[in-house]
Amino acid sequence: MREKTIFERIVAGELPCNKVLEDNDFLAFHDIHPRAPIHILAIPKKHFKDFQEFDPELMAKMTLFIQKLAVLLGLDKSGYRLISNCGKNSGQEVFHLHFHILGGFELPKDKAEQANPQALF
Ligand code: 5GP
């Protein structure tokens, strides 16, 4: 049987988290290694390995959840970055779908965004 991911163990109450918002379907908590003054992870309680496997109907609900979270944190006004690493090449480490919500300062442009795809060929 597949071993539970850290985030499934958090949902099950087997591991602690610093919770910010929760409803029946989703949970949001502080990232253990924050890379911005505000760095929150939002996850569905149901297991999906990554974004590629996610249920579009649940994604619609998750959109509302993340928007509500942004208002709660005051990020709706100042802005934020929303990231979901998906699969090996993205550097995904925890294989339970999650969105990073980063904010609280002017975020530097990511190097990957500046990469020139032409240079790869
Ligand atoms: P990924 O690289 O998979 O997109 O991001 C995984 C994130 O989970 C990382 O930012 C990492 O700091 C965070 N993380 C890993 N283990 C834990 C944990 O036990 N608790 C919390 N709150 N965050 C974790």
Side-chain angles (χ1 to χ4, degrees):
M1 211 180 93
R2 181 181 64 81
E3 207 177 298
K4 271 192 226 167
T5 63
I6 290 170
F7 294 169
E8 288 168 280
R9 296 190 62 201
I10 287 175
V11 169
E14 294 166 11
L15 291 175
C17 73
N18 192 351
K19 185 164 71 180
V20 182
L21 186 66
E22 181 175 15
D23 69 11
N24 284 340
D25 297 312
F26 310 106
L27 178 64
F29 51 90
H30 289 269
D31 194 292
I32 206 164
H33 297 303
R35 268 147 284 157
I38 300 173
H39 186 174
I40 308 297
L41 299 171
I43 66 171
K45 290 184 175 176
K46 189 174 168 195
H47 179 67
F48 298 90
K49 183 165 66 74
D50 58 27
F51 185 75
Q52 199 58 31
E53 289 201 342
F54 199 27
D55 171 0
E57 282 180 24
L58 211 49
M59 184 63 207
K61 287 187 182 177
M62 188 149 202
T63 301
L64 290 171
F65 181 80
I66 292 171
Q67 289 169 344
K68 193 173 161 187
L69 182 66
V71 171
L72 185 73
L73 298 164
L75 295 177
D76 57 321
K77 302 277 188 293
S78 56
Y80 57 95
R81 185 171 294 157
L82 188 63
I83 296 174
S84 187
N85 292 318
C86 179
K88 185 172 121 340
N89 276 1
S90 73
Q92 183 179 1
E93 285 173 7
V94 179
F95 286 88
H96 179 97
L97 168 69
H98 52 280
F99 286 91
H100 297 257
I101 296 107
L102 298 144
F105 78 142
E106 196 166 328
L107 290 145
K109 287 282 182 189
D110 186 70
K111 286 204 182 80
E113 287 170 18
Q114 296 163 1
N116 175 7
Q118 304 270 341
L120 298 173
F121 299 100

